[in-house]
Amino acid sequence: MRHSDIASVSITGDTATSDKESTSKAVPLNEEHVKLTSSVDSDNIRPADSLFGWIPTLAAMVNYMFIFGASNSYGVFSTYYLNVKFPGTSATTLAWIGTLVTSLMLGCSILTGAMADKRGYRVTAYTGTVICTLAYILASFAKEVWQLILTQGVLLGIGASFLYAPSVSIPAQWFVKNRGLATGIAVAGSSIGGLWFTAAIQAMIDSLGAEWALRVLGILTFAVTSLTNSLYYRRIPAKPRTNLFELRAAKRLIFWLVSVETCTMYTGYWALSFYVGTNAKYLGGTLRDGSNLLLVLNAASALGRVMAGVIADRFGNINTLLVSIMLTVVLETPLWMTAKTIAPLYVLCALYGLISPSFISLNPVIIGRHFDTDVMASVMGMTNLFGGLGVLAGNLAQGAIFDKYDKREKFTNTIIFSGVFILVAGIVTFAMRVHVQRQQSDRRFFQRI
């Protein structure tokens, strides 16, 4: 077949369909979906599931450490700011810094994802490196809380978004058969980063002070991510684009189902991370118990994100996601509500870390199955906009509920809030499964989806 002939078809496994048909029909779950246009030479497409693919995947894992390490370890800075640097400032005000990092990282990826697909993964990632480095350095000179909100919150969150958009898309582009495993390994870097960032930041604050801790983080971010960004190779060359956003994605129900699931999961997801340390203190524990609980949660999350990918490759991405979300609700609510000592909290953190973060690993895989890989960063950015809104709304609502209804004495209403939104995410995921199943010729309920 001539290249001009190839340019007019969409290849899905062994079946060729027109571009129009390929956007309306579901992609078989076990096959790769790649559209070729006249501007993309098929000879330049590298083979999927090759050993070379692990190079950019592992580079993404390292970048995940720095992207999420900042937000996962903010509690260390928060404790210092609250008790030493700004003792008269409310915890709610200081919480804005950590909240803005995560919400802007996800929300701004609607723009940075489009940039990654249009301008290239490396250009986008290097932009993030520069902005993050600048954010840390400027934050180290901050004298007022509002200056930290703008630098360590807003600027760092925007910079992290530039690094996040290409990182979340790399593994799914290089792998088909082991896409879940590769994505799980990459996103496990966020939990690993949370582990060593927390310990390193505390040690630097104790020995060098918070200002130099921020400067060292800036230097490390620049040095390490500058190297890993250079390994962000694309497997499939990007198509020339005239539009900034992949608006065609919004015409498909699967996009909206993933977006709503992402939003509702992020709305309820962070409650345990934010309040388990306080809960431990109320039960007679110490600040170290709170730190240890978060270490257990991060360690279990690193393993859980990889396990989710492995299981999904065998039993199906949406199946695995649905079971994990429902198990999260079943385990979190009763274990947390009935905890009378610290021991059950350790069990809860271990199980929650193993099971709950599967959506972080599997959402990119689901997007990769149903949308073209050359626009994956754009589509992921659009869905993550809803995730950013969920983080922002969830964190603010949980704080208000804990203050007003739990009276800072119990956690019942906060737990219910978290559980309800995670349950809604499970219901949406079930609807997603039904939708995908109906688009397939095999209508059996028990099958790999």
Side-chain angles (χ1 to χ4, degrees):
M1 182 182 290
R2 301 187 312 274
H3 178 66
S4 60
D5 296 328
I6 295 176
S8 63
V9 302
S10 171
I11 297 180
T12 306
D14 299 325
T15 305
T17 59
S18 68
D19 278 351
K20 183 177 180 180
E21 292 173 339
S22 65
T23 59
S24 61
K25 294 184 179 180
V27 180
L29 294 178
N30 297 326
E31 300 173 355
E32 182 180 10
H33 186 204
V34 178
K35 287 184 183 177
L36 303 178
T37 67
S38 57
S39 58
V40 178
D41 186 354
S42 59
D43 293 335
N44 291 331
I45 297 178
R46 299 180 174 95
D49 299 300
S50 64
L51 287 176
F52 183 83
W54 289 107
I55 295 176
T57 297
L58 293 176
M61 183 187 74
V62 175
N63 275 1
Y64 261 102
M65 295 183 191
F66 285 85
I67 297 166
F68 282 92
S71 58
N72 289 351
S73 60
Y74 174 69
V76 180
F77 280 111
S78 179
T79 301
Y80 175 82
Y81 294 151
L82 190 62
N83 296 284
V84 180
K85 191 167 186 176
F86 304 107
T89 304
S90 70
T92 303
T93 300
L94 291 172
W96 270 101
I97 300 172
T99 298
L100 285 171
V101 171
T102 306
S103 59
L104 286 174
M105 177 194 69
L106 294 170
C108 289
S109 60
I110 189 173
L111 297 173
T112 58
M115 178 178 173
D117 284 333
K118 191 167 184 176
R119 298 300 181 189
Y121 284 4
R122 294 183 189 175
V123 171
T124 306
Y126 277 120
T127 302
T129 294
V130 172
I131 295 175
C132 286
T133 301
L134 182 63
Y136 280 124
I137 299 301
L138 290 177
S140 71
F141 293 101
K143 303 299 182 183
E144 303 290 341
V145 174
W146 67 267
Q147 295 170 339
L148 283 174
I149 291 175
L150 290 178
T151 54
Q152 197 175 355
V154 174
L155 193 60
L156 184 59
I158 293 172
S161 183
F162 279 93
L163 279 169
Y164 175 69
S167 301
V168 75
S169 308
I170 281 283
Q173 185 169 125
W174 279 96
F175 293 90
V176 178
K177 293 180 181 179
N178 299 313
R179 184 172 281 168
L181 172 62
T183 304
I185 289 175
V187 300
S190 59
S191 296
I192 297 171
L195 286 171
W196 74 263
F197 257 68
T198 300
I201 290 172
Q202 187 63 67
M204 286 190 290
I205 289 177
D206 292 341
S207 59
L208 302 174
E211 291 76 14
W212 270 104
L214 287 165
R215 290 164 196 159
V216 171
L217 286 178
I219 295 169
L220 281 175
T221 299
F222 184 83
V224 176
T225 62
S226 291
L227 174 61
T228 51
N229 292 345
S230 67
L231 303 176
Y232 272 16
Y233 300 100
R234 293 187 68 110
R235 187 177 77 83
I236 301 172
K239 303 174 187 176
R241 297 176 58 180
T242 56
N243 59 315
L244 180 61
F245 303 113
E246 188 64 19
L247 296 178
R248 292 176 298 174
K251 298 179 181 180
R252 300 183 59 186
L253 181 58
I254 188 69
F255 165 80
W256 290 106
L257 291 170
V258 174
S259 297
V260 175
E261 172 260 319
T262 302
C263 181
T264 51
M265 272 301 296
Y266 271 120
T267 300
Y269 177 71
W270 295 104
L272 183 65
S273 299
F274 279 21
Y275 294 103
V276 70
T278 305
N279 198 170
K281 188 176 180 181
Y282 284 8
L283 293 175
T286 63
L287 291 176
R288 181 167 293 277
D289 286 314
S291 298
N292 289 339
L293 285 165
L294 290 178
L295 288 174
V296 170
L297 182 61
N298 276 308
S301 293
L303 178 60
R305 295 174 195 209
V306 177
M307 286 175 52
V310 173
I311 296 171
D313 285 336
R314 182 174 179 83
F315 296 103
N317 305 309
I318 299 178
N319 289 341
T320 305
L321 179 61
L322 177 60
V323 172
S324 67
I325 291 176
M326 290 306 184
L327 280 177
T328 300
V329 177
V330 171
L331 291 172
E332 180 199 32
T333 306
L335 277 177
W336 197 358
M337 278 191 172
T338 58
K340 303 300 181 184
T341 63
I342 297 178
L345 294 181
Y346 277 100
V347 176
L348 173 61
C349 285
L351 293 176
Y352 192 85
L354 284 172
I355 298 169
S356 67
S358 61
F359 77 102
I360 299 174
S361 301
L362 299 181
N363 281 351
V365 181
I366 294 170
I367 292 295
R369 293 290 189 188
H370 294 276
F371 293 91
D372 300 341
T373 51
D374 69 313
V375 296
M376 186 177 170
S378 296
V379 179
M380 279 301 304
M382 293 166 67
T383 61
N384 280 326
L385 171 63
F386 293 89
L389 294 174
V391 171
L392 184 61
N395 290 354
L396 294 177
Q398 288 160 17
I401 290 170
F402 184 58
D403 288 338
K404 185 174 181 179
Y405 297 102
D406 287 330
K407 307 296 183 183
R408 292 181 172 263
E409 296 175 353
K410 55 183 180 179
F411 301 87
T412 304
N413 295 290
T414 304
I415 296 168
I416 292 174
F417 176 88
S418 173
V420 166
F421 273 91
I422 295 175
L423 177 61
V424 171
I427 295 171
V428 174
T429 304
F430 180 77
M432 188 192 309
R433 189 187 189 280
V434 172
H435 169 66
V436 172
Q437 183 183 5
R438 286 181 175 177
Q439 290 188 317
Q440 299 184 134
S441 57
D442 186 354
R443 298 295 182 88
R444 292 176 303 160
F445 184 79
F446 294 103
Q447 61 172 301
R448 184 176 179 270
I449 295 179

